[in-house]
Amino acid sequence: MNAPHQVFDERERAVVAGRSKGRTFDEVGKALGLSRERVRQVQSGTRKRLVVMADMVQDSWRERLRTVGAGVATPRGDFAATLGIVDHVLLDELLAVAGLAAPRTWAGPLRGWWSADPGALGSALRRLIDAAPFRGDDLGRAASEAGLPAGLPLTWLLSHSESRLALSADGHWVRRKARGRDAAYLWLLEAGRPCRAEELLAPMAATTAAAVREALRRDDRFRQIRPEGTWALVEWTHLRASPYASAVEAMVSVVTESGPLSRAQLFARVTELYPVTPWRLKQCLLSDQLGETPDGFVDLVSRGACPFEEEEPVRPDTMAVEGEVLGMRLPVNADILRGSGVNVHAWLTWRLGLRRAPMSRTFTTPGDHSPLVRRGTSSAQLSSLRRHALELEVTDGCVLAVLLRLDDGTARVGHGCVPETCPSRRAPTAATPAVNAAASSPAVPAQPEGH
């Protein structure tokens, strides 16, 4: 039922297209030099003629469209395929006649999608929010469990100013009004062990350990373990009875007692003894005690299994290594200036050997603001750069040059801008010649690429 273009003139198509995009009669009329009433008449007449054509070509087309649009949200292309229509401008008119409308969201009507129940999408999105917080990698799974169809512009919807969710510095979805506590929940879930309040400063973007403790006390998802004073998740019932100090220890014990197991079997048994995320279980496989048998099972290295090897990620151009010194260039942004951790390439934690818990390493500098490198699910995070940025008087758009000495665990942070193009217009000082020299080295380019 592909309606020929010549059946409708350009003015009629322009009116229908404008209305399809959500423009008012007045807005369409102003663009076409027509009165509001004339625009309404043109749309009404076009719709009537289109319906007559549809009735002549296909029986029960309204019912067919409503059947396709019975779900939460259906893309326009599915309706076009059902009726064999390629002209989407005219298709929108038929969808409206059939009683369908654009699904309603906090960002307004979702154009290009239709539903017989426009409010259903909002309900499904609320179910997704109720499942928060969740890791960025789990967005697809959480959306599917909430009943949301594939292909929705979820990242755009969730990032909208009216959304109750926000993307954290770690790339996870947290509630806007509980960012810090949700970030702490995901951190603990990933670590799989109790943590001290000081360890949660960076993920919560908190300034003091006292603030961390006060926030967690007001959230019934957390509990403090005494006398250690560490914080854990209430759902961790294994802390009361488990004899294992870590997930790795539990995994090694299961393999020791049961013999070679498939990953699915092993993960299921370990989770019963020591509940952690699937990602944490995968990290446990990198233990030097575990390996893979020729037939693909997990067994002990001491029984002949070949250790799992972690492949080296491609080193980014913004990082270089020479001997025991590792250098990197970091563009100064709002995260650095407010003290949040900044994501850097996963090659960094691979080079530092942070393959097992605690998966973090601190490099000392003069003063009490030493950089901390922490491994995440798919990237590294570098924290404690704000004080350095303030002392160097850099601004948003500048570049920091960070040198990490791998042999003695020390670090130096300097102003890495090219003087002629430095946003802060601050010339390099004599206090950081080595850092500035490293920053201008060909191995670390002057214009850093994205992380």
Side-chain angles (χ1 to χ4, degrees):
M1 191 178 69
N2 188 10
H5 288 192
Q6 60 269 25
V7 174
F8 301 96
D9 61 33
E10 290 303 317
R11 186 179 67 174
E12 291 171 322
R13 292 179 58 78
V15 167
V16 171
R19 294 290 291 151
S20 177
K21 294 176 182 177
R23 296 170 184 163
T24 65
F25 289 128
D26 288 328
E27 290 171 337
V28 175
K30 184 177 181 180
L32 298 177
L34 301 174
S35 67
R36 181 182 188 279
E37 177 58 22
R38 184 55 185 152
V39 171
R40 188 195 64 76
Q41 292 173 354
V42 171
Q43 182 183 17
S44 177
T46 302
R47 179 176 293 182
K48 289 178 181 178
R49 291 162 58 201
L50 184 61
V51 168
V52 170
M53 292 176 58
D55 289 337
M56 292 174 59
V57 177
Q58 292 194 25
D59 294 331
S60 304
W61 59 269
R62 295 172 180 80
E63 292 74 13
R64 294 173 63 188
L65 291 179
R66 283 195 289 268
T67 298
V68 174
V72 169
T74 304
R76 182 192 284 120
D78 288 4
F79 298 101
T82 297
L83 298 186
I85 295 178
V86 297
D87 192 331
H88 288 180
V89 172
L90 300 179
L91 173 61
D92 286 358
E93 288 294 302
L94 293 178
L95 289 168
V97 171
L100 286 84
R104 295 191 297 269
T105 72
W106 49 67
L110 188 61
R111 303 297 175 186
W113 294 74
W114 294 79
S115 176
D117 182 3
L121 178 58
S123 298
L125 287 171
R126 286 191 290 274
R127 289 194 294 271
L128 178 64
I129 291 174
D130 290 341
F134 46 81
R135 307 192 62 81
D137 295 342
D138 290 336
L139 176 58
R141 174 195 57 77
S144 177
E145 292 178 354
L148 293 166
L152 276 176
L154 272 179
T155 300
W156 175 76
L157 283 171
L158 297 181
S159 302
H160 192 272
S161 60
E162 296 299 320
S163 168
R164 287 165 48 197
L165 296 186
L167 197 61
S168 72
D170 290 339
H172 309 316
W173 292 104
V174 296
R175 293 168 296 168
R176 289 184 184 273
K177 295 185 178 181
R179 292 177 189 237
R181 287 174 286 135
D182 280 358
Y185 176 85
L186 292 173
W187 172 280
L188 288 171
L189 198 63
E190 178 180 309
R193 61 175 177 82
C195 294
R196 303 194 66 81
E198 289 76 9
E199 296 179 77
L200 300 172
L201 284 171
M204 294 183 66
T207 55
T208 66
V212 170
R213 287 190 286 268
E214 181 60 27
L216 299 188
R217 284 193 189 100
R218 292 185 286 106
D219 194 312
D220 57 12
R221 293 175 296 174
F222 305 93
R223 67 185 182 92
Q224 192 170 28
I225 300 177
R226 300 183 182 280
E228 297 90 341
T230 55
W231 289 89
L233 299 179
V234 170
E235 63 195 64
W236 286 349
T237 56
H238 66 280
L239 293 178
R240 302 184 181 90
S242 175
Y244 306 108
S246 67
V248 172
E249 185 177 316
M251 186 172 288
V252 171
S253 176
V254 169
V255 174
T256 300
E257 296 177 5
S258 303
L261 295 170
S262 69
R263 292 194 183 195
Q265 293 172 325
L266 177 60
F267 287 5
R269 296 190 187 184
V270 172
T271 303
E272 294 176 358
L273 301 173
Y274 202 96
V276 290
T277 63
W279 174 84
R280 184 70 188 96
L281 292 173
K282 292 178 182 178
Q283 288 297 311
C284 292
L285 293 177
L286 296 177
S287 167
D288 54 9
Q289 301 180 68
L290 298 170
E292 189 174 31
T293 64
D295 51 358
F297 287 87
V298 180
D299 200 359
L300 299 177
V301 170
S302 61
R303 291 201 291 236
C306 182
F308 291 96
E309 294 294 334
E310 183 181 28
E311 295 184 2
E312 177 181 2
V314 176
R315 177 168 60 85
D317 292 339
T318 52
M319 297 184 186
V321 61
E322 183 174 349
E324 292 298 317
V325 179
L326 190 156
M328 72 187 79
R329 295 173 57 80
L330 296 175
V332 177
N333 55 25
D335 288 333
I336 289 179
L337 296 176
R338 67 170 172 252
S340 303
V342 293
N343 288 334
V344 289
H345 199 278
W347 180 85
L348 177 61
T349 49
W350 178 89
R351 183 63 181 79
L352 296 178
L354 304 181
R355 56 182 282 174
R356 287 185 292 164
M359 296 189 295
S360 64
R361 182 172 176 181
T362 300
F363 291 82
T364 59
T365 60
D368 59 351
H369 43 283
S370 301
L372 167 68
V373 180
R374 180 176 67 85
R375 178 169 181 154
T377 54
S378 59
S379 65
Q381 190 175 86
L382 190 60
S383 304
S384 304
L385 294 177
R386 181 174 183 271
R387 290 282 296 278
H388 295 285
L390 294 177
E391 291 175 0
L392 294 168
E393 300 179 4
V394 296
T395 61
D396 194 353
C398 285
V399 175
L400 289 180
V402 182
L403 296 180
L404 306 177
R405 287 200 62 89
L406 309 184
D407 51 356
D408 62 7
T410 60
R412 297 184 67 182
V413 181
H415 195 159
C417 286
V418 176
E420 293 78 9
T421 60
C422 176
S424 68
R425 301 184 182 277
R426 177 179 182 271
T429 65
T432 58
V435 174
N436 285 315
S440 59
S441 169
V444 186
Q447 296 298 326
E449 297 180 0
H451 296 157

